[in-house]
Amino acid sequence: QINVLQAKKKFEILDAMLSFMHAQYTFFQQGYSLLHELDPYMKKLATELDQLVIDSAVEKREMEHKHALIQQRGLSLYLQDFSYDDSKVEFNVDAPNGVVMEGYLFKRASNAFKTWNRRWFSIQNSQLVYQKKLKDVLTVVVEDLRLCTVKPCEDIERRFCFEVVSPTKSCMLQADSEKLRQAWIQAVQASIASAYRESPDSYYIE
């Protein structure tokens, strides 16, 4: 009986193996059928993917081109600051009308809001003055340039700024370019030197 049972088990093992192979066959056949149905969709998706790769490459190339143009434009603007027309930045301490230099500057307000306003500035009679409009009354910013110093300001949110400092107050100004800023600074310094040369010694003692 034991031998019969042992022989019978061999058939059970073979039957189990056959059932397993049928199950595997059914599984892979169903998988094939399902993937075969998905084949058109996968082909379509592959085509769309190829197009996405092409579009991405085109977009990257366009962005690199725009970046290069922006860098070139920035360099061009930077060079324009130093290639400004010299006739527009000249100053003359011996001008017949007494105006050493004049032009538009942005002035930072002394109020809490620190707003910037564009005004017509001029250096005349050893004073720094400005007008809101060309025919308005002159507003004196600095009464005597001999008591002042002028310096460029880099640690500020705007470019091309400089500061005129007097014993009682300071005035923050912004030019339109680096060359104009340097011209205004030099004009103030030249006006200070000229005012000292023209003043008599007795005035210094007083």
Side-chain angles (χ1 to χ4, degrees):
Q1 289 178 351
I2 292 173
N3 290 336
V4 171
L5 287 173
Q6 288 178 345
K8 189 177 181 181
K9 287 182 179 178
K10 293 179 183 177
F11 291 107
E12 289 176 354
I13 293 170
L14 186 61
D15 182 59
M17 287 294 296
L18 190 62
S19 297
F20 173 74
M21 292 180 69
H22 275 295
Q24 289 283 57
Y25 170 77
T26 304
F27 173 76
F28 284 111
Q29 190 176 34
Q30 288 178 349
Y32 170 78
S33 300
L34 183 62
L35 290 173
H36 185 69
E37 291 176 2
L38 289 174
D39 186 58
Y41 173 72
M42 289 191 293
K43 288 181 179 178
K44 179 184 176 183
L45 193 62
T47 304
E48 293 177 356
L49 179 62
D50 292 339
Q51 188 61 43
L52 285 174
V53 171
I54 295 171
D55 293 343
S56 177
V58 171
E59 185 178 1
K60 182 181 178 182
R61 188 165 59 249
E62 289 177 353
M63 290 300 293
E64 289 175 348
H65 180 63
K66 288 179 181 179
H67 183 66
L69 286 177
I70 289 171
Q71 285 185 324
Q72 185 178 1
R73 188 180 302 170
L75 178 62
S76 175
L77 290 173
Y78 179 78
L79 292 174
Q80 284 179 8
D81 293 337
F82 290 92
S83 61
Y84 207 86
D85 186 8
D86 289 339
S87 63
K88 296 181 181 180
V89 296
E90 288 182 350
F91 62 89
N92 183 9
V93 292
D94 299 319
N97 60 354
V99 178
V100 177
M101 185 173 178
E102 59 182 348
Y104 280 108
L105 292 171
F106 282 94
K107 178 183 178 296
R108 189 174 72 178
S110 56
N111 55 26
F113 298 102
K114 302 295 183 183
T115 54
W116 291 83
N117 301 298
R118 197 164 187 252
R119 300 288 184 257
W120 181 264
F121 276 82
S122 62
I123 300 172
Q124 51 182 292
N125 302 321
S126 299
Q127 293 181 331
L128 179 65
V129 299
Y130 73 86
Q131 299 166 280
K132 291 184 178 181
K133 295 180 181 179
L134 214 56
K135 294 182 179 181
D136 287 355
V137 179
L138 292 174
T139 300
V140 178
V141 180
V142 176
E143 293 183 359
D144 193 344
L145 287 174
R146 289 171 299 181
L147 303 176
C148 296
T149 58
V150 59
K151 59 180 181 179
C153 295
E154 306 297 344
D155 54 341
I156 193 169
E157 70 277 4
R158 292 191 171 209
R159 299 191 301 167
F160 318 132
C161 292
F162 63 98
E163 187 177 18
V164 180
V165 183
S166 70
T168 56
K169 61 181 178 179
S170 66
C171 181
M172 185 67 70
L173 303 170
Q174 181 193 21
D176 291 336
S177 69
E178 176 60 27
K179 197 160 189 178
L180 276 170
R181 176 171 73 167
Q182 293 298 330
W184 275 99
I185 292 174
Q186 292 171 9
V188 173
Q189 292 172 341
S191 298
I192 294 171
S194 176
Y196 274 118
R197 285 196 304 269
E198 293 174 0
S199 300
D201 293 340
S202 59
Y203 185 83
Y204 297 149
I205 296 172
E206 291 178 7

